[in-house]
Amino acid sequence: MAGILVFVEQRNGVVRQASLQAVSEAHRQAGGDVAAVLVGSGIGDAAAGLGAFGAAKVFLADDPNLALYSSEGYGEAVAKAVESAAPDAVFFAGTAMGRDLAPRVAAKLGVGALADVVGLEKDGDQFVARRPVYSGKAFATVDSAGSKPQVISLRPNVFAVEETGGSADVVALDGLSLAIRAVVKELVDTGGGEIDVAEADIIVSGGRGLKGPENFALIRSLAEALGGAVGASRAAVDAGWIPHKHQVGQTGKVVSPSLYIAAGISGAIQHLAGMSSSKIIVAINKDPDAPIFKIADYGIVGDLFDVIPPMVEEVKKLAG
Amino acid sequence: MNCIVCVTSVPDTASVIKIGPDGKNIDETGIKWIVSPYDEYALEEALQLTEAQGGEVTAVTYGPTRSEAALRDCLARGAHKAVHVIGGESTLGDSLTIAKVLAKALEGREYDLVLCGYMGVGTDCGQVGQMLAELLGIPHVANVTTLEVADGSLTAGRDVEGGQEQVGCPLPALITCQKGLNEPRYAALKGIMAAKRKPVDKIEVANLGIDEAGDSTYNVRSLELPPPKSDGTIIQGEDDPAGAAAQLVNLLRSEAKAI
């Protein structure tokens, strides 16, 4: 194979973890033949650092007009890097930006794209990818039917980051026209320092069993003690107890953290679909017949209001 | 303000998924087909925009004969026109081919805004809208949860990790719609009756000059159910919740090594 180009996402000059995962996976698949493309403004320092994760070459599009994301500007830069590197595959981290940009770039190149990939294998001169469908109720093994280069977005937190200790040649991408119509005017921080469920390694989710919005404080206290994110079932979101960005499930976010704790969530099929690929699942529910127990690795049959406060204390003891 | 809404029919989200006899597709026996939930936000937004600013809503779908039900649903909720590109049974999940078909179907139609759901529930690709915008040569904003349209341009909010991007662009443009954008209406009986009389413009995909099989960019080799989970360790915690909590945290630490 002729190598892999990885689009690397940065925010304020800091490369995102999901992109390092993508570079590492590219290195595992293609050995030395990995290039990266980094786009932004005033980000030269970040470019050289990618060598340590296996990128032999970094295409750098550094321009004040690229300070904030635009699918057209970033897409032009990536397409230009594809032209130079002529890779067999282009990897994106499946972040909000990656999932937005990958299909736009693919259409620009006139090729297909494989989204939300959780496993990759080589078969001759193309990649065969495994991806969840029906929100994880099934898994499809797919290829691109010969469409090349293969554009592939990788689900975050699935592929491991590996430091290889190499160094990268940085090549400037010049002569971009940057005809940008859709412009990010502003990036408003709505997280308040909270970890986003899509990026979290540990998630504590609450559902209808919480009985009211104020009791999400209980979920939050356990999430904080574990260093995790706060998730929610659709019932809790639809009741207006917590914003939609916390929703896990078929019409929310599909997640696969190493630890998922569901408290007061009975486990509707749409919710199970969104979290069943988590490595360890814990259920806390009063109803011993709740469907969530069927997929739980560990569970407590009991009232979450009695169980969670002592759990928080126990976790704090471990940390202390 | 003319809007085009692209919709697709998908298995009801409450469906139990079984693998079909070919090992590549789902078993469609007993599946209830619905308009993909995110497409409902797209339709609702288009209806609200045209109600406020005038103009027409055209619903477009690409799918087999049964997909006409999705268009009837859109017409019942208030869409003015409908276009059905008949085909698509072999292109499920092939975002590029779907986008090409839709781009062809939109040729010669006037629009200010194209609206799609942010993903088709089931294939879960979330790519058709962005690809369609590129093929149409218009800007797009994906994953939109807030929208304002005025004076030939739009401002849209989209959720990203830990924040919200405010994106502005001139019309014509394309947006893909996420939950939170609006509350989709239900079809009233009057609308359902009126929808039966509204015409649906039917086009065979072959007549658009697209070779579904030959142009394929997505090949499903196999489809499997996730491996079954073995029974978990369930602690009875009604009588001694604090003891159960301590036992659970200990197991997560020492056995599962998850914390």
Side-chain angles (χ1 to χ4, degrees):
Chain A
M1 291 191 56
I4 300 169
L5 176 72
V6 185
F7 169 72
V8 171
E9 177 179 346
Q10 55 77 31
R11 203 184 274 178
N12 302 321
V14 179
V15 170
R16 296 186 73 93
Q17 197 65 17
S19 293
L20 295 180
Q21 293 162 5
V23 174
S24 292
E25 180 61 16
H27 186 261
R28 279 188 290 272
Q29 295 287 352
D33 204 353
V34 174
V37 51
L38 186 68
V39 185
S41 178
I43 49 163
D45 291 348
L50 293 172
F53 298 90
K57 189 186 259 192
V58 178
F59 295 97
L60 178 64
D62 198 331
D63 188 300
N65 292 315
L66 296 168
L68 285 169
Y69 171 68
S70 69
S71 61
E72 294 161 290
Y74 280 46
E76 188 192 355
V78 177
K80 187 123 190 173
V82 169
E83 204 178 285
S84 297
D88 275 340
V90 188
F91 286 5
F92 293 76
T95 58
M97 188 189 291
R99 294 290 297 270
D100 186 64
L101 183 59
R104 183 109 201 179
V105 168
K108 204 183 205 20
L109 300 171
V111 299
L114 306 177
D116 201 22
V117 166
V118 297
L120 275 177
E121 266 177 39
K122 266 183 266 185
D123 179 18
D125 63 349
Q126 71 170 337
F127 281 113
V128 177
R130 183 174 159 84
R131 54 183 306 270
V133 290
Y134 300 95
S135 305
K137 289 180 196 168
F139 284 83
T141 302
V142 301
D143 61 50
S144 306
S147 179
K148 281 238 169 153
Q150 284 183 286
V151 172
I152 297 172
S153 66
L154 305 178
R155 179 182 284 200
N157 294 340
V158 171
F159 299 92
V161 173
E162 241 176 290
E163 284 204 48
T164 55
S167 65
D169 291 333
V170 178
V171 182
L173 282 174
D174 295 322
L176 299 172
S177 67
L178 299 182
I180 299 169
R181 291 165 293 182
V183 192
V184 176
K185 295 174 172 171
E186 202 184 348
L187 175 59
V188 186
D189 183 351
T190 56
E194 277 188 5
I195 306 168
D196 193 282
V197 289
E199 296 187 303
D201 198 40
I202 295 179
I203 298 173
V204 185
S205 283
R208 211 191 298 267
L210 284 173
K211 299 195 173 107
E214 65 283 2
N215 295 325
F216 261 98
L218 209 53
I219 298 295
R220 200 159 277 123
S221 67
L222 182 55
E224 271 168 21
L226 291 166
V230 174
S233 70
R234 178 177 168 174
V237 171
D238 284 353
W241 296 352
I242 188 160
H244 173 249
K245 65 177 183 174
H246 294 276
Q247 186 181 324
V248 172
Q250 193 153 8
T251 49
K253 290 183 175 131
V254 176
V255 297
S256 39
S258 11
L259 175 62
Y260 188 90
I261 301 180
I265 294 177
S266 64
I269 190 168
Q270 295 93 335
H271 189 77
L272 300 185
M275 44 63 80
S276 58
S277 61
S278 306
K279 287 187 195 80
I280 298 288
I281 295 169
V282 175
I284 301 165
N285 208 293
K286 272 202 292 202
D287 175 8
D289 298 321
I292 190 86
F293 283 119
K294 292 204 175 62
I295 63 154
D297 299 284
Y298 299 96
I300 295 181
V301 178
D303 191 331
L304 69 95
F305 292 98
D306 298 330
V307 171
I308 292 185
M311 265 187 87
V312 174
E313 292 313 309
E314 292 293 334
V315 171
K316 281 184 181 161
K317 271 192 229 163
L318 291 179
Chain B
M1 184 76 210
N2 289 318
C3 294
I4 302 236
V5 181
C6 302
V7 301
T8 184
S9 345
V10 302
D12 190 321
T13 56
S15 304
V16 174
I17 296 298
K18 293 182 200 140
I19 309 299
D22 67 352
K24 295 181 179 182
N25 290 285
I26 62 164
D27 179 355
E28 295 188 1
T29 316
I31 293 283
K32 183 185 162 207
W33 298 91
I34 59 167
V35 173
S36 180
Y38 300 108
D39 299 346
E40 295 191 53
Y41 302 113
L43 176 66
E44 179 62 35
E45 201 62 19
L47 292 172
Q48 289 186 14
L49 281 169
T50 52
E51 280 159 9
Q53 305 187 14
E56 287 191 329
V57 175
T58 305
V60 181
T61 199
Y62 166 44
T65 317
R66 64 168 154 70
S67 306
E68 191 178 329
L71 292 177
R72 293 287 166 201
D73 188 358
C74 295
L75 291 169
R77 295 190 211 203
H80 302 84
K81 294 178 187 165
V83 178
H84 186 180
V85 181
I86 299 165
E89 274 172 287
S90 64
T91 57
L92 195 66
D94 187 349
S95 309
L96 184 72
T97 303
I98 295 167
K100 279 184 182 171
V101 168
L102 292 171
K104 278 276 181 195
L106 298 194
E107 259 176 26
R109 294 178 199 273
E110 281 182 23
Y111 54 83
D112 303 291
L113 189 62
V114 181
L115 303 95
C116 305
Y118 103 95
M119 68 158 62
V121 164
T123 48
D124 295 358
C125 295
Q127 303 189 133
V128 169
Q130 297 91 313
M131 287 178 160
L132 178 57
E134 177 67 29
L135 298 177
L136 293 173
I138 59 176
H140 83 263
V141 189
N143 227 356
V144 168
T145 54
T146 64
L147 180 70
E148 280 174 48
V149 180
D151 306 323
S153 67
L154 66 79
T155 305
R158 70 183 224 104
D159 287 345
V160 299
E161 294 84 359
Q164 198 191 48
E165 287 178 349
Q166 291 291 320
V167 189
C169 74
L171 301 179
L174 181 147
I175 63 165
T176 75
C177 303
Q178 172 62 284
K179 184 172 181 176
L181 182 58
N182 54 46
E183 278 299 321
R185 70 192 65 186
Y186 294 103
L189 185 61
K190 195 176 150 209
I192 295 170
M193 299 311 288
K196 289 182 180 161
R197 293 189 302 272
K198 291 184 187 170
V200 172
D201 185 3
K202 292 181 188 174
I203 309 165
E204 292 290 338
V205 68
N207 294 341
L208 292 175
I210 300 215
D211 174 4
E212 286 180 322
D215 294 347
S216 173
T217 66
Y218 187 79
N219 171 48
V220 179
R221 294 189 172 196
S222 64
L223 189 67
E224 295 154 42
L225 296 179
K229 290 206 81 155
S230 49
D231 284 350
T233 306
I234 308 298
I235 307 161
Q236 298 304 318
E238 285 99 334
D239 299 332
D240 178 13
Q247 195 186 340
L248 174 63
V249 171
N250 184 40
L251 283 169
L252 291 177
R253 176 72 154 200
S254 56
E255 190 179 274
K257 306 200 186 312
I259 57 177

mmCIF file with all atom_site columns, all heavy atoms in Angstrom, chain B residues 109-122:
data_model
loop_
_atom_site.group_PDB
_atom_site.id
_atom_site.type_symbol
_atom_site.label_atom_id
_atom_site.label_alt_id
_atom_site.label_comp_id
_atom_site.label_asym_id
_atom_site.label_entity_id
_atom_site.label_seq_id
_atom_site.pdbx_PDB_ins_code
_atom_site.Cartn_x
_atom_site.Cartn_y
_atom_site.Cartn_z
_atom_site.occupancy
_atom_site.B_iso_or_equiv
_atom_site.pdbx_formal_charge
_atom_site.auth_seq_id
_atom_site.auth_comp_id
_atom_site.auth_asym_id
_atom_site.auth_atom_id
_atom_site.pdbx_PDB_model_num
ATOM 1   N N   . ARG B 1 109 ? -34.203 22.500 -10.166 1.00 0.00 ? 109 ARG B N   1
ATOM 2   C CA  . ARG B 1 109 ? -35.180 22.942 -9.155  1.00 0.00 ? 109 ARG B CA  1
ATOM 3   C C   . ARG B 1 109 ? -34.617 24.164 -8.430  1.00 0.00 ? 109 ARG B C   1
ATOM 4   O O   . ARG B 1 109 ? -33.419 24.251 -8.189  1.00 0.00 ? 109 ARG B O   1
ATOM 5   C CB  . ARG B 1 109 ? -35.475 21.823 -8.147  1.00 0.00 ? 109 ARG B CB  1
ATOM 6   C CG  . ARG B 1 109 ? -36.176 20.653 -8.790  1.00 0.00 ? 109 ARG B CG  1
ATOM 7   C CD  . ARG B 1 109 ? -36.440 19.516 -7.826  1.00 0.00 ? 109 ARG B CD  1
ATOM 8   N NE  . ARG B 1 109 ? -36.682 18.291 -8.573  1.00 0.00 ? 109 ARG B NE  1
ATOM 9   C CZ  . ARG B 1 109 ? -37.875 17.917 -9.041  1.00 0.00 ? 109 ARG B CZ  1
ATOM 10  N NH1 . ARG B 1 109 ? -38.943 18.656 -8.808  1.00 0.00 ? 109 ARG B NH1 1
ATOM 11  N NH2 . ARG B 1 109 ? -38.015 16.806 -9.740  1.00 0.00 ? 109 ARG B NH2 1
ATOM 12  N N   . GLU B 1 110 ? -35.507 25.068 -8.063  1.00 0.00 ? 110 GLU B N   1
ATOM 13  C CA  . GLU B 1 110 ? -35.047 26.276 -7.373  1.00 0.00 ? 110 GLU B CA  1
ATOM 14  C C   . GLU B 1 110 ? -35.120 26.079 -5.874  1.00 0.00 ? 110 GLU B C   1
ATOM 15  O O   . GLU B 1 110 ? -36.115 25.591 -5.354  1.00 0.00 ? 110 GLU B O   1
ATOM 16  C CB  . GLU B 1 110 ? -35.934 27.456 -7.768  1.00 0.00 ? 110 GLU B CB  1
ATOM 17  C CG  . GLU B 1 110 ? -35.571 28.014 -9.124  1.00 0.00 ? 110 GLU B CG  1
ATOM 18  C CD  . GLU B 1 110 ? -36.427 29.201 -9.484  1.00 0.00 ? 110 GLU B CD  1
ATOM 19  O OE1 . GLU B 1 110 ? -36.969 29.854 -8.567  1.00 0.00 ? 110 GLU B OE1 1
ATOM 20  O OE2 . GLU B 1 110 ? -36.544 29.470 -10.683 1.00 0.00 ? 110 GLU B OE2 1
ATOM 21  N N   . TYR B 1 111 ? -34.054 26.440 -5.210  1.00 0.00 ? 111 TYR B N   1
ATOM 22  C CA  . TYR B 1 111 ? -34.078 26.320 -3.748  1.00 0.00 ? 111 TYR B CA  1
ATOM 23  C C   . TYR B 1 111 ? -33.157 27.362 -3.125  1.00 0.00 ? 111 TYR B C   1
ATOM 24  O O   . TYR B 1 111 ? -32.180 27.790 -3.731  1.00 0.00 ? 111 TYR B O   1
ATOM 25  C CB  . TYR B 1 111 ? -33.633 24.921 -3.297  1.00 0.00 ? 111 TYR B CB  1
ATOM 26  C CG  . TYR B 1 111 ? -32.297 24.502 -3.857  1.00 0.00 ? 111 TYR B CG  1
ATOM 27  C CD1 . TYR B 1 111 ? -31.104 24.895 -3.257  1.00 0.00 ? 111 TYR B CD1 1
ATOM 28  C CD2 . TYR B 1 111 ? -32.218 23.730 -5.024  1.00 0.00 ? 111 TYR B CD2 1
ATOM 29  C CE1 . TYR B 1 111 ? -29.886 24.532 -3.781  1.00 0.00 ? 111 TYR B CE1 1
ATOM 30  C CE2 . TYR B 1 111 ? -30.998 23.366 -5.555  1.00 0.00 ? 111 TYR B CE2 1
ATOM 31  C CZ  . TYR B 1 111 ? -29.828 23.765 -4.929  1.00 0.00 ? 111 TYR B CZ  1
ATOM 32  O OH  . TYR B 1 111 ? -28.621 23.422 -5.460  1.00 0.00 ? 111 TYR B OH  1
ATOM 33  N N   . ASP B 1 112 ? -33.530 27.776 -1.914  1.00 0.00 ? 112 ASP B N   1
ATOM 34  C CA  . ASP B 1 112 ? -32.669 28.645 -1.117  1.00 0.00 ? 112 ASP B CA  1
ATOM 35  C C   . ASP B 1 112 ? -31.943 27.831 -0.053  1.00 0.00 ? 112 ASP B C   1
ATOM 36  O O   . ASP B 1 112 ? -30.834 28.151 0.342   1.00 0.00 ? 112 ASP B O   1
ATOM 37  C CB  . ASP B 1 112 ? -33.511 29.730 -0.443  1.00 0.00 ? 112 ASP B CB  1
ATOM 38  C CG  . ASP B 1 112 ? -34.285 30.543 -1.471  1.00 0.00 ? 112 ASP B CG  1
ATOM 39  O OD1 . ASP B 1 112 ? -33.630 31.289 -2.217  1.00 0.00 ? 112 ASP B OD1 1
ATOM 40  O OD2 . ASP B 1 112 ? -35.516 30.390 -1.555  1.00 0.00 ? 112 ASP B OD2 1
ATOM 41  N N   . LEU B 1 113 ? -32.644 26.799 0.413   1.00 0.00 ? 113 LEU B N   1
ATOM 42  C CA  . LEU B 1 113 ? -32.071 26.001 1.492   1.00 0.00 ? 113 LEU B CA  1
ATOM 43  C C   . LEU B 1 113 ? -32.415 24.533 1.263   1.00 0.00 ? 113 LEU B C   1
ATOM 44  O O   . LEU B 1 113 ? -33.554 24.198 0.957   1.00 0.00 ? 113 LEU B O   1
ATOM 45  C CB  . LEU B 1 113 ? -32.638 26.474 2.843   1.00 0.00 ? 113 LEU B CB  1
ATOM 46  C CG  . LEU B 1 113 ? -32.021 25.915 4.113   1.00 0.00 ? 113 LEU B CG  1
ATOM 47  C CD1 . LEU B 1 113 ? -30.540 26.293 4.232   1.00 0.00 ? 113 LEU B CD1 1
ATOM 48  C CD2 . LEU B 1 113 ? -32.779 26.415 5.348   1.00 0.00 ? 113 LEU B CD2 1
ATOM 49  N N   . VAL B 1 114 ? -31.397 23.682 1.403   1.00 0.00 ? 114 VAL B N   1
ATOM 50  C CA  . VAL B 1 114 ? -31.609 22.232 1.383   1.00 0.00 ? 114 VAL B CA  1
ATOM 51  C C   . VAL B 1 114 ? -31.419 21.749 2.808   1.00 0.00 ? 114 VAL B C   1
ATOM 52  O O   . VAL B 1 114 ? -30.450 22.137 3.480   1.00 0.00 ? 114 VAL B O   1
ATOM 53  C CB  . VAL B 1 114 ? -30.601 21.524 0.445   1.00 0.00 ? 114 VAL B CB  1
ATOM 54  C CG1 . VAL B 1 114 ? -30.848 20.011 0.426   1.00 0.00 ? 114 VAL B CG1 1
ATOM 55  C CG2 . VAL B 1 114 ? -30.677 22.107 -0.964  1.00 0.00 ? 114 VAL B CG2 1
ATOM 56  N N   . LEU B 1 115 ? -32.370 20.943 3.286   1.00 0.00 ? 115 LEU B N   1
ATOM 57  C CA  . LEU B 1 115 ? -32.287 20.456 4.672   1.00 0.00 ? 115 LEU B CA  1
ATOM 58  C C   . LEU B 1 115 ? -32.280 18.925 4.683   1.00 0.00 ? 115 LEU B C   1
ATOM 59  O O   . LEU B 1 115 ? -33.081 18.289 3.986   1.00 0.00 ? 115 LEU B O   1
ATOM 60  C CB  . LEU B 1 115 ? -33.473 20.956 5.502   1.00 0.00 ? 115 LEU B CB  1
ATOM 61  C CG  . LEU B 1 115 ? -33.683 22.471 5.571   1.00 0.00 ? 115 LEU B CG  1
ATOM 62  C CD1 . LEU B 1 115 ? -34.691 22.914 4.505   1.00 0.00 ? 115 LEU B CD1 1
ATOM 63  C CD2 . LEU B 1 115 ? -34.169 22.912 6.948   1.00 0.00 ? 115 LEU B CD2 1
ATOM 64  N N   . CYS B 1 116 ? -31.374 18.356 5.462   1.00 0.00 ? 116 CYS B N   1
ATOM 65  C CA  . CYS B 1 116 ? -31.300 16.897 5.630   1.00 0.00 ? 116 CYS B CA  1
ATOM 66  C C   . CYS B 1 116 ? -31.265 16.611 7.128   1.00 0.00 ? 116 CYS B C   1
ATOM 67  O O   . CYS B 1 116 ? -30.906 17.466 7.928   1.00 0.00 ? 116 CYS B O   1
ATOM 68  C CB  . CYS B 1 116 ? -30.001 16.336 5.038   1.00 0.00 ? 116 CYS B CB  1
ATOM 69  S SG  . CYS B 1 116 ? -29.714 16.738 3.316   1.00 0.00 ? 116 CYS B SG  1
ATOM 70  N N   . GLY B 1 117 ? -31.586 15.382 7.510   1.00 0.00 ? 117 GLY B N   1
ATOM 71  C CA  . GLY B 1 117 ? -31.301 14.939 8.864   1.00 0.00 ? 117 GLY B CA  1
ATOM 72  C C   . GLY B 1 117 ? -29.796 14.774 8.996   1.00 0.00 ? 117 GLY B C   1
ATOM 73  O O   . GLY B 1 117 ? -29.107 14.589 7.993   1.00 0.00 ? 117 GLY B O   1
ATOM 74  N N   . TYR B 1 118 ? -29.258 14.854 10.217  1.00 0.00 ? 118 TYR B N   1
ATOM 75  C CA  . TYR B 1 118 ? -27.804 14.799 10.303  1.00 0.00 ? 118 TYR B CA  1
ATOM 76  C C   . TYR B 1 118 ? -27.283 13.389 10.052  1.00 0.00 ? 118 TYR B C   1
ATOM 77  O O   . TYR B 1 118 ? -26.150 13.210 9.648   1.00 0.00 ? 118 TYR B O   1
ATOM 78  C CB  . TYR B 1 118 ? -27.294 15.401 11.622  1.00 0.00 ? 118 TYR B CB  1
ATOM 79  C CG  . TYR B 1 118 ? -26.876 14.428 12.687  1.00 0.00 ? 118 TYR B CG  1
ATOM 80  C CD1 . TYR B 1 118 ? -25.539 14.056 12.814  1.00 0.00 ? 118 TYR B CD1 1
ATOM 81  C CD2 . TYR B 1 118 ? -27.804 13.885 13.554  1.00 0.00 ? 118 TYR B CD2 1
ATOM 82  C CE1 . TYR B 1 118 ? -25.152 13.153 13.795  1.00 0.00 ? 118 TYR B CE1 1
ATOM 83  C CE2 . TYR B 1 118 ? -27.417 12.992 14.534  1.00 0.00 ? 118 TYR B CE2 1
ATOM 84  C CZ  . TYR B 1 118 ? -26.096 12.626 14.649  1.00 0.00 ? 118 TYR B CZ  1
ATOM 85  O OH  . TYR B 1 118 ? -25.723 11.730 15.607  1.00 0.00 ? 118 TYR B OH  1
ATOM 86  N N   . MET B 1 119 ? -28.115 12.380 10.249  1.00 0.00 ? 119 MET B N   1
ATOM 87  C CA  . MET B 1 119 ? -27.759 11.046 9.774   1.00 0.00 ? 119 MET B CA  1
ATOM 88  C C   . MET B 1 119 ? -29.014 10.225 9.549   1.00 0.00 ? 119 MET B C   1
ATOM 89  O O   . MET B 1 119 ? -30.063 10.520 10.101  1.00 0.00 ? 119 MET B O   1
ATOM 90  C CB  . MET B 1 119 ? -26.797 10.315 10.719  1.00 0.00 ? 119 MET B CB  1
ATOM 91  C CG  . MET B 1 119 ? -27.380 9.933  12.063  1.00 0.00 ? 119 MET B CG  1
ATOM 92  S SD  . MET B 1 119 ? -26.448 8.575  12.846  1.00 0.00 ? 119 MET B SD  1
ATOM 93  C CE  . MET B 1 119 ? -24.847 9.274  13.065  1.00 0.00 ? 119 MET B CE  1
ATOM 94  N N   . GLY B 1 120 ? -28.901 9.238  8.684   1.00 0.00 ? 120 GLY B N   1
ATOM 95  C CA  . GLY B 1 120 ? -29.981 8.288  8.517   1.00 0.00 ? 120 GLY B CA  1
ATOM 96  C C   . GLY B 1 120 ? -29.845 7.260  9.615   1.00 0.00 ? 120 GLY B C   1
ATOM 97  O O   . GLY B 1 120 ? -28.800 6.619  9.742   1.00 0.00 ? 120 GLY B O   1
ATOM 98  N N   . VAL B 1 121 ? -30.886 7.133  10.428  1.00 0.00 ? 121 VAL B N   1
ATOM 99  C CA  . VAL B 1 121 ? -30.813 6.191  11.543  1.00 0.00 ? 121 VAL B CA  1
ATOM 100 C C   . VAL B 1 121 ? -30.750 4.775  10.967  1.00 0.00 ? 121 VAL B C   1
ATOM 101 O O   . VAL B 1 121 ? -31.580 4.394  10.154  1.00 0.00 ? 121 VAL B O   1
ATOM 102 C CB  . VAL B 1 121 ? -32.037 6.379  12.458  1.00 0.00 ? 121 VAL B CB  1
ATOM 103 C CG1 . VAL B 1 121 ? -32.208 5.188  13.373  1.00 0.00 ? 121 VAL B CG1 1
ATOM 104 C CG2 . VAL B 1 121 ? -31.886 7.652  13.271  1.00 0.00 ? 121 VAL B CG2 1
ATOM 105 N N   . GLY B 1 122 ? -29.761 4.020  11.373  1.00 0.00 ? 122 GLY B N   1
ATOM 106 C CA  . GLY B 1 122 ? -29.611 2.648  10.881  1.00 0.00 ? 122 GLY B CA  1
ATOM 107 C C   . GLY B 1 122 ? -28.270 2.469  10.215  1.00 0.00 ? 122 GLY B C   1
ATOM 108 O O   . GLY B 1 122 ? -27.392 1.795  10.743  1.00 0.00 ? 122 GLY B O   1
#
